[in-house]
Amino acid sequence: MSSKLIIALDFPTAEQALQFVKPLSPEQCKLKVGFELYVAAGPDFVRRLVDQGFDVFLDLKFHDIPNTVASACRAAAKLGVWMMNVHAFGGEAMLLAAQDAVNTATHAPKLIAVTVLTSMDKNQLNSIGLNIDPAVQVQRLAQLTQRCGLDGIVCSAQEAKGLRQQLGQNFLLVTPGIRPLGTDKGDQSRVMTPEKAVLAGVSYMVVGRPITQAANAQKIIEQIYNC
Ligand code: C5P
């Protein structure tokens, strides 16, 4: 069984992240490198994880003019990452350019798009001129992403069931905000347990603090692996 677990390596330094990764195996989980660690540790750190056999999700959420995003995607693909992402808000031309760039890579990573950030509620969308319910905007951007040929989206697990029905079995739904029973919610508001997320049809679950700050990380990793 391939693991649905992606651990968010939200550490401030490469040393701390490597210390955490040491007991892990690529069969148990994939690893996500986001802004904090990428800015601190850079591409060499990403290559190091790839060389250790890990599937790496480079979570840099590119959002710029099509040419710039395509160039960034090409550079990221050269690192050997398994998956990376862009913002669907960048629009059709940007999504198509990103996918084209990925398609020409020797080892094409999966490309997914962030729809609406889970930190954006109706008021926040309104304040940037979008008088629309976030769930409707998520659907709209998910459909656009699929039309542009990308592999999937980042979304909330609470939206996964409906999106799975609309978008079919092969479209990747990658969901943060996962909280095993008994773990702290932290700043996430719309959370779901791994068991429920799997039932809702998510493809991969991104889990950070419930694992990285756990007294016994292996126990939580196994719990998620087995659900
Ligand atoms: O620690 P926690 O499990 O909340 O970490 C979730 C990870 O997923 C973080 O790296 C966070 O940046 C990322 N993420 C998120 N919500 C989104 C997109 C990404 O929590 N909408």
Side-chain angles (χ1 to χ4, degrees):
M1 184 173 76
S2 159
S3 179
K4 287 181 186 295
L5 172 62
I6 303 175
I7 301 182
L9 290 181
D10 293 328
F11 292 99
T13 66
E15 292 68 33
Q16 280 170 270
L18 287 171
Q19 187 67 24
F20 174 81
V21 167
K22 226 182 213 168
L24 304 181
S25 85
E27 288 71 40
Q28 284 182 305
C29 60
K30 302 172 190 308
L31 301 173
K32 179 172 92 70
V33 176
F35 289 138
E36 181 186 17
L37 190 53
Y38 190 79
V39 170
D44 284 343
F45 173 78
V46 174
R47 278 193 209 97
R48 198 162 162 181
L49 295 179
V50 172
D51 288 347
Q52 288 180 26
F54 284 99
D55 281 342
V56 176
F57 170 20
L58 190 62
D59 179 21
L60 297 181
K61 301 183 181 72
F62 298 135
H63 186 180
D64 208 314
I65 57 171
N67 183 59
T68 303
V69 167
S71 304
C73 286
R74 261 190 295 277
K78 283 191 190 143
L79 295 176
V81 298
W82 159 72
M83 183 157 80
M84 61 187 177
N85 59 2
V86 295
H87 262 289
F89 260 104
E92 184 172 0
M94 193 208 81
L95 292 171
L96 289 171
Q99 187 59 52
D100 270 1
V102 164
N103 288 345
T104 58
T106 315
H107 298 289
K110 295 185 187 309
L111 182 64
I112 61 174
V114 177
T115 51
V116 179
L117 291 170
T118 41
S119 55
M120 297 287 280
D121 58 15
K122 199 168 170 31
N123 288 336
Q124 298 261 347
L125 281 184
N126 237 301
S127 72
I128 57 164
L130 285 173
N131 188 13
I132 190 168
D133 192 71
V136 177
Q137 183 65 7
V138 168
Q139 280 178 27
R140 183 183 282 182
L141 291 176
Q143 283 162 2
L144 172 66
T145 301
Q146 192 173 46
R147 277 204 308 281
C148 291
L150 278 73
D151 295 293
I153 51 167
V154 181
C155 63
S156 149
Q158 303 204 351
E159 292 150 2
K161 200 170 172 190
L163 290 168
R164 174 60 69 220
Q165 280 165 4
Q166 285 165 26
L167 303 163
Q169 288 308 311
N170 295 328
F171 201 61
L172 298 180
L173 303 179
V174 179
T175 61
I178 300 294
R179 290 293 180 266
L181 274 183
T183 59
D184 195 4
K185 268 170 65 170
D187 55 356
Q188 297 279 12
S189 51
R190 300 173 63 221
V191 299
M192 195 178 265
T193 64
E195 292 81 4
K196 285 196 175 147
V198 170
L199 284 177
V202 311
S203 314
Y204 296 105
M205 295 175 274
V206 176
V207 187
R209 289 159 293 178
I211 294 175
T212 55
Q213 295 181 8
N216 187 346
Q218 283 291 344
K219 193 172 151 204
I220 313 256
I221 291 171
E222 275 164 37
Q223 187 189 331
I224 298 176
Y225 185 85
N226 291 320
C227 72

